[in-house]
Amino acid sequence: MSVQNLNSKKLNVGIVGAGPAGSLMAYLLARLGHHVYLIERRHQTDRKVCGEYLCPKGVELLEQMNLFQQVGSIFEPLHGMVLVSPLDVSIPAYFPTPSGSERGLSVNRQLFDQKLLDLALENGVDYLNDTTVTKVFQAPEGDWTVETDSGSFRFNVLIAADGRQSKIGHQLGHIKEINTKRAALHCYLPRKTARGNRMGEMHIFANESYCGLDPISDDEVNFSIVCNSERLKKEKPIHIINEAIRNSKRLNAMFDPADEKTEIRIVTCLKNHNDFVAGNNLAYIGDAAGFIDPLTGEGIYNALLSSKILADCLSHEPDVAGALSLYKKTKRKLSFQKTLLNHFFQFLIRRTTLVNLTASFLQKSQSRANHFIGIIGDIHSPAKGLWKMLFNFEGNQ
Ligand SMILES: Cc1cc2nc3c(=O)[nH]c(=O)nc-3n(C[C@H](O)[C@H](O)[C@H](O)COP(=O)(O)OP(=O)(O)OC[C@H]3O[C@@H](n4cnc5c(N)ncnc54)[C@H](O)[C@@H]3O)c2cc1C
């Protein structure tokens, strides 16, 4: 396909992967009048390994698209995070806004992903579940052929939303997985204490690992630890989790040790890099467009945002090539500061003394701590958040 005039021609679009990125993309493109096929290897949405925290900016994005009622309203809000240092100092921090109304959400991923998929299905998207994409290739005129275990399909535009380990990205040589030597261990634990206020928690430990807690419901806390993957060669996952609980006064007060029946899921290789992002009638969205260690919990937001940006580009630009080029440029700009910030956090958590110093710096002022999680919650850009923490910490926003 050479140049498509998007105002006059409706496209045949294939989207691979029905996670948050793929389902939202399918919905948005169907609303623009394109013919959309959504291909997913799973039989039904299931609960992915995820901290299940949707950051405030993600909530705001759903509101902007008028989708909050349908997608987000059934989930419990989160008003901030308790930050816990290696010395067990706890700092409650609230998402900073002038009105104080900003909130994240605790989302059960199975329900959340299903709600987004329902939106796509209600808007006429053709859904092929139980269908695994095995190979893609491009014809000289530009269309893409997608081979699956149940037949092959031809599309004008192909959108890869097939996640962190994108099969398409690997096959085409666009994705590079980076072994960070980190592993995430994930489980659900019941609280032994009464329900607290609606706050997530981020614990940094002295052994360069960290753990995130998300109170999904009264009796179910989403518990994820990220640690050095070498530990898994010597220790059982349950021991790593129970050691963290045993060594922290706060975790000890909240949980009994996990028992042998606790289902622990493990994810390794927590980073990928995609230099291509978009071009040649192909675009990557969500984790397939690049993913970094889930330290600040904003993968779902990034997935939704990339779909929204690509849909906007496809609706405003006169041709596919221009839309993909604009998408690529916008995406790169957005990820630059975030990548730097993530590198900074990764550097920080490996230095216990620095983490303890940062904790005592944040502890001195509530609004300083609030601005800090404003960066994590994507309410402030890293540069603006840092400025506010250092020079404007008495202010309310
Ligand atoms: C340990 C951990 C904790 C996390 N915690 C958080 C958090 O608290 N908050 C947050 O915002 N983010 C978190 N994330 C990140 C978040 O889970 C992802 O960023 C998000 O799921 C990305 O959505 P996506 O649609 O791009 O990909 P996915 O949700 O991975 O969806 C990809 C879909 O593609 C399908 N697929 C893959 N290959 C094929 C194929 N060949 N054919 C057909 N279908 C295929 C898959 O079945 C899947 O449904 C965490 C990640 C990890 C690893």
Side-chain angles (χ1 to χ4, degrees):
M1 189 176 62
S2 51
V3 169
Q4 292 278 352
N5 185 327
L6 294 181
N7 296 321
S8 59
K9 180 160 184 186
K10 295 304 171 199
L11 300 167
N12 223 10
V13 184
I15 301 175
V16 181
S23 291
L24 180 67
M25 190 78 242
Y27 160 77
L28 293 171
L29 292 185
R31 299 267 298 186
L32 289 173
H34 299 296
H35 195 165
V36 183
Y37 292 81
L38 181 59
I39 305 175
E40 167 59 49
R41 68 180 170 196
R42 296 175 199 238
H43 176 63
Q44 57 186 41
T45 49
D46 56 12
R47 216 166 166 182
K48 289 176 178 147
V49 176
C50 178
E52 301 185 308
Y53 152 70
L54 180 66
C55 66
K57 220 47 190 174
V59 177
E60 192 185 297
L61 185 64
L62 290 178
E63 280 167 346
Q64 269 170 19
M65 294 186 288
N66 285 326
L67 296 178
F68 180 77
Q69 201 51 36
Q70 266 169 287
V71 178
S73 60
I74 61 160
F75 301 110
E76 294 252 31
L78 280 178
H79 301 295
M81 294 258 168
V82 180
L83 304 167
V84 186
S85 77
L87 291 175
D88 235 348
V89 172
S90 303
I91 307 163
Y94 300 86
F95 296 124
T97 51
S99 61
S101 65
E102 197 89 52
R103 80 277 190 217
L105 292 180
S106 297
V107 295
N108 171 317
R109 274 301 294 275
Q110 185 173 15
L111 294 179
F112 184 77
D113 287 20
Q114 185 62 46
K115 294 228 160 252
L116 285 163
L117 176 60
D118 288 345
L119 277 180
L121 302 184
E122 284 157 17
N123 282 275
V125 168
D126 277 319
Y127 183 47
L128 309 164
N129 62 338
D130 272 331
T131 306
T132 301
V133 170
T134 49
K135 195 173 170 197
V136 300
F137 52 90
Q138 192 171 29
E141 70 275 20
D143 281 2
W144 283 90
T145 297
V146 172
E147 287 184 355
T148 75
D149 51 4
S150 48
S152 66
F153 305 86
R154 196 173 163 111
F155 303 111
N156 304 133
V157 174
L158 175 62
I159 299 180
D162 51 345
R164 226 164 18 95
Q165 291 168 313
S166 171
K167 169 102 188 162
I168 297 175
H170 278 293
Q171 188 219 310
L172 298 174
H174 295 152
I175 282 239
K176 198 164 83 194
E177 273 189 40
I178 298 158
N179 186 356
T180 55
K181 303 213 168 77
R182 314 278 279 163
L185 314 183
H186 176 268
C187 63
Y188 295 97
L189 294 177
R191 278 179 97 107
K192 67 179 180 192
T193 46
R195 177 193 168 114
N197 50 5
R198 298 282 322 150
M199 304 280 275
E201 301 206 0
M202 166 72 82
H203 294 239
I204 313 267
F205 304 119
N207 57 4
E208 300 180 12
S209 53
Y210 61 90
C211 130
L213 308 185
D214 183 353
I216 305 295
S217 64
D218 280 0
D219 46 18
E220 184 186 55
V221 177
N222 181 316
F223 189 106
S224 331
I225 287 194
V226 175
C227 65
N228 189 324
S229 52
E230 289 296 305
R231 288 185 70 186
L232 288 167
K233 292 186 182 156
K234 298 173 271 182
E235 295 171 71
K236 280 168 92 178
I238 193 165
H239 291 157
I240 297 176
I241 287 173
N242 284 340
E243 185 200 70
I245 295 176
R246 209 175 36 246
N247 290 342
S248 154
K249 261 197 240 141
R250 191 174 172 92
L251 292 178
N252 219 333
M254 231 185 272
F255 303 109
D256 285 324
D259 61 35
E260 293 291 338
K261 284 197 221 106
T262 307
E263 188 194 345
I264 300 171
R265 295 196 285 167
I266 301 170
V267 173
T268 51
C269 210
L270 296 171
K271 191 171 176 182
N272 72 33
H273 184 67
N274 185 332
D275 236 352
F276 177 82
V277 181
N280 302 335
N281 300 335
L282 164 71
Y284 292 87
I285 55 173
D287 285 0
F291 180 77
I292 356 178
D293 204 312
L295 175 61
T296 52
E298 55 198 6
I300 306 171
Y301 167 58
N302 280 335
L304 300 177
L305 184 65
S306 60
S307 306
K308 170 78 168 65
I309 294 172
L310 180 55
D312 284 348
C313 293
L314 284 164
S315 73
H316 293 134
E317 289 294 304
D319 59 63
V320 172
L324 296 189
S325 154
L326 181 61
Y327 167 69
K328 180 172 178 162
K329 221 158 67 197
T330 315
K331 187 95 186 53
R332 281 207 166 145
K333 213 158 107 191
L334 278 174
S335 63
F336 178 70
Q337 273 201 5
K338 274 289 160 191
T339 308
L340 275 186
L341 179 76
N342 198 286
H343 286 314
F344 170 70
F345 279 143
Q346 297 295 343
F347 171 85
L348 189 69
I349 58 171
R350 287 175 167 83
R351 283 151 189 90
T352 307
T353 315
L354 264 184
V355 176
N356 286 325
L357 281 172
T358 308
S360 54
F361 173 73
L362 296 179
Q363 206 184 11
K364 291 204 171 85
S365 150
Q366 183 65 56
S367 90
R368 205 181 255 172
N370 295 354
H371 289 314
F372 181 74
I373 63 148
I375 303 176
I376 294 178
D378 243 313
I379 297 163
H380 299 321
S381 68
K384 184 174 163 197
L386 205 61
W387 179 266
K388 280 179 173 285
M389 274 170 61
L390 294 173
F391 303 113
N392 185 29
F393 59 88
E394 292 309 337
N396 207 18
Q397 47 177 297

